[in-house]
Amino acid sequence: MATHRFIVSNYSNALTSGTVSWRSPSNIALVKYWGKYGEQMPMNASVSFTLSNCHTQTKLSFEKKVSGEFDFEVFLDGKKEMGFEPKIQKFFERIAVYLPFLKDFKFSIETTNSFPHSSGIASSASGMSALALCFMDMERQMQPAITDAYFTEKASFLARLGSGSACRSVEGPLVVWGEHPDISGSNNLFGTKYPFGVHPDFEDYQDTILLVDKGEKQVSSTLGHELMIDHPFAEQRFRQAKDNLSKLVPVFQNGDLSAFIKIVEQEALSLHALMMASTPYFILMKPNTLEIINKIWKFREETGARLCFTLDAGANVHVLYPKFEKETVLKFIKGELAIFCKNSEFITDEAGLGAKKI
Ligand code: DP6
């Protein structure tokens, strides 16, 4: 699939100033993206649940100026946030060829997250996706003929250039990113809604995020991806991810939760095993991450409850379970897992349908 379809040569309407707002959720990968090439292309296909409660809301105000350099300011919770500027500057540079109007406007980007900034929940997926959608909203005002499909695909395509996983935050509840032979429409350039049958249990799957460590990550995902380039297990890993996604296809269809649990937990532990086997090696799990994992295994063994865990690139634990287990699992989390969280904090969330215009 070629990128030139996202390059626009001219617009039919002119814009002078205005405001657009979008809300975009975070997502949690079941098969993980870890390793990339070229301009933000994944080494393997991944699939994630789009979340609901963990989201970023972004208001983009724009005013026409004389074309020149990029001109933007970023505000987090109403306060100017210069710390985000280098990442956004890089984002502008990457997407300028696809949004030729970027240098013609002065932008103000006002953003708020529904989750605390220090929660250790990455805001890059929700943040980059919300911003990409705001730009697409501007583009649609200038070119009203674009289709909904083009709007969604290009929003995801642009979001990917900000942060790979962000391309899976535009739609929901299950989104695939990366070319996979078993999944029609899947491609490396943008996320696509999982195209096959999904058992009702997976439409509102629950994710309770246990906040084990709220500090800044010691190693960024971007660096972690780079360490896959010469990683001794890279090839095996990419094959494993491909096989795990193939295995999930019948599982999503028939709701086989035992099989689901095995695949999802293996993915989480493989991700962290890759980190531990990198050069340089590093560990993002904390002692309490392991305490929680062991407690989950014990509880599952004793009660047969269908909960499992996954991890992203940090110490927090995502507890995943079907809605029919909600009461049992939340009781267990409050009674036995919250003590392993910083200030006993956790966030309850569930699979959702993607981004929304505000
Ligand atoms: C472990 O999307 O944050 O969460 O593309 O460099 O911005 P960049 O990386 P990022 O990596 C996410 C890694 C992960 C797995 C996943 O979400 O698939």
Side-chain angles (χ1 to χ4, degrees), residues 27-36 40-41 44-48 87 94 122 124-125 128 159-168 177 217 220-226 237 267 271-272 275 284 311-314:
N27 68 72
I28 181 69
L30 304 169
V31 172
K32 309 287 179 181
Y33 145 58
W34 199 243
K36 57 178 160 184
Q40 293 285 95
M41 305 286 234
N44 63 266
S46 55
V47 64
S48 52
K87 200 160 185 192
R94 278 190 185 149
S124 60
M128 288 298 178
R160 186 195 97 241
L161 295 171
S163 178
S165 55
C167 78
R168 298 188 313 239
W177 169 42
K217 275 190 223 168
S220 71
S221 293
T222 304
L223 179 61
H225 289 293
E226 265 172 39
R237 162 59 195 160
E267 277 291 315
L271 170 71
H272 283 257
M275 297 173 189
L284 295 183
L311 308 166
D312 60 15

Side-chain angles (χ1 to χ4, degrees), residues 40-54:
Q40 293 285 95
M41 305 286 234
M43 290 298 294
N44 63 266
S46 55
V47 64
S48 52
F49 276 131
T50 306
L51 297 179
S52 300
N53 301 335
C54 290

Side-chain angles (χ1 to χ4, degrees), residues 77-285:
D77 300 328
K79 278 198 225 117
K80 197 165 154 73
E81 177 57 71
M82 312 242 306
F84 289 172
E85 285 178 11
K87 200 160 185 192
I88 295 193
Q89 173 74 27
K90 194 160 183 198
F91 183 46
F92 271 66
E93 285 163 14
R94 278 190 185 149
I95 63 177
V97 58
Y98 307 105
L99 299 173
F101 58 86
L102 279 187
K103 287 187 170 160
D104 304 338
F105 288 89
K106 180 179 166 48
F107 294 102
S108 163
I109 302 163
E110 293 168 72
T111 180
T112 52
N113 295 324
S114 65
F115 44 90
H117 183 55
S118 60
S119 61
I121 298 177
S123 59
S124 60
S126 51
M128 288 298 178
S129 136
L131 185 54
L133 282 154
C134 288
F135 287 136
M136 281 311 293
D137 203 321
M138 280 183 76
E139 178 161 273
R140 184 154 58 186
Q141 291 180 38
M142 290 184 257
Q143 193 71 12
I146 64 174
T147 62
D148 288 347
Y150 181 85
F151 181 93
T152 308
E153 288 172 7
K154 186 166 172 183
S156 172
F157 171 84
L158 297 173
R160 186 195 97 241
L161 295 171
S163 178
S165 55
C167 78
R168 298 188 313 239
S169 274
V170 175
E171 297 179 283
L174 277 171
V175 175
V176 176
W177 169 42
E179 199 179 329
H180 191 287
D182 297 352
I183 303 194
S184 40
S186 63
N187 73 90
N188 289 347
L189 296 182
F190 52 85
T192 48
K193 257 174 91 160
Y194 178 74
F196 307 130
V198 172
H199 189 278
D201 283 351
F202 292 118
E203 280 165 11
D204 53 6
Y205 223 68
Q206 305 292 300
D207 179 6
T208 301
I209 307 157
L210 307 181
L211 305 178
V212 171
D213 187 50
K214 308 208 283 182
E216 274 287 302
K217 275 190 223 168
Q218 297 138 309
V219 181
S220 71
S221 293
T222 304
L223 179 61
H225 289 293
E226 265 172 39
L227 297 177
M228 286 305 288
I229 293 171
D230 288 320
H231 198 289
F233 306 140
E235 215 175 291
Q236 295 91 321
R237 162 59 195 160
F238 303 138
R239 197 176 325 124
Q240 179 194 43
K242 184 177 171 202
D243 292 346
N244 277 341
L245 189 42
S246 294
K247 285 184 201 161
L248 275 176
V249 173
V251 169
F252 285 144
Q253 172 86 49
N254 60 27
D256 180 348
L257 295 178
S258 305
F260 177 79
I261 287 168
K262 281 191 195 124
I263 296 164
V264 167
E265 292 190 345
Q266 180 183 60
E267 277 291 315
L269 294 181
S270 292
L271 170 71
H272 283 257
L274 289 166
M275 297 173 189
M276 290 185 228
S278 296
T279 311
Y281 46 81
F282 58 104
I283 302 180
L284 295 183
M285 290 188 283

